Amino acid sequence: MGFLDFLKGPDTDQGVRAFRETPGAVLLDVRTPQEYREGRIPGSKNVPLQELDRIAAVAAQRDTPLFVYCHSGARSSQAVRLLARMGYTGVKNIGGIAAYTGKVER
């Protein structure tokens, strides 16, 4: 671990791998519906940041593991804080799709 490693954001690829290895997990995309239609990580569910109060539609249990991403990691960071305030306990910000090197579906 280097001196400036704290400046790096989450590793989106590693986060997607962790999602795939976690039984019952939800990969949550908090971008707008239009951004989601333009390209998304396979297996993700879209609940825009502005509509996060609808999260129960994809994760009714508050202990559901949630792996959250957006475009760059900023909105997903906000979403993680909001979800924690809503009582969700297994929430992880995995960053942004802009840093994702895997397959993207449209």
Side-chain angles (χ1 to χ4, degrees):
M1 183 170 195
F3 177 70
L4 296 177
D5 282 350
F6 71 93
L7 293 176
K8 293 179 186 172
D11 182 329
T12 307
D13 292 336
Q14 182 179 339
V16 171
R17 280 192 299 277
F19 153 72
R20 291 187 179 132
E21 295 169 357
T22 306
V26 172
L27 182 59
L28 185 64
D29 184 323
V30 296
R31 298 175 302 149
T32 66
Q34 180 175 338
E35 288 174 301
Y36 187 73
R37 283 189 301 272
E38 290 171 359
R40 61 194 166 273
I41 298 172
S44 63
K45 305 290 183 190
N46 183 227
V47 179
L49 179 63
Q50 299 80 1
E51 300 173 24
L52 214 49
D53 57 334
R54 296 186 313 111
I55 187 62
V58 297
Q61 303 299 318
R62 296 203 170 166
D63 62 348
T64 300
L66 298 172
F67 292 81
V68 186
Y69 76 93
C70 61
H71 177 74
S72 66
R75 284 176 282 180
S76 56
S77 180
Q78 286 181 280
V80 165
R81 287 192 300 272
L82 288 168
L83 289 162
R85 277 190 239 138
M86 294 167 69
Y88 283 85
T89 56
V91 185
K92 181 169 178 55
N93 177 10
I94 65 166
I97 195 170
Y100 179 62
T101 61
K103 179 185 174 199
V104 173
E105 66 184 17
R106 288 177 177 26

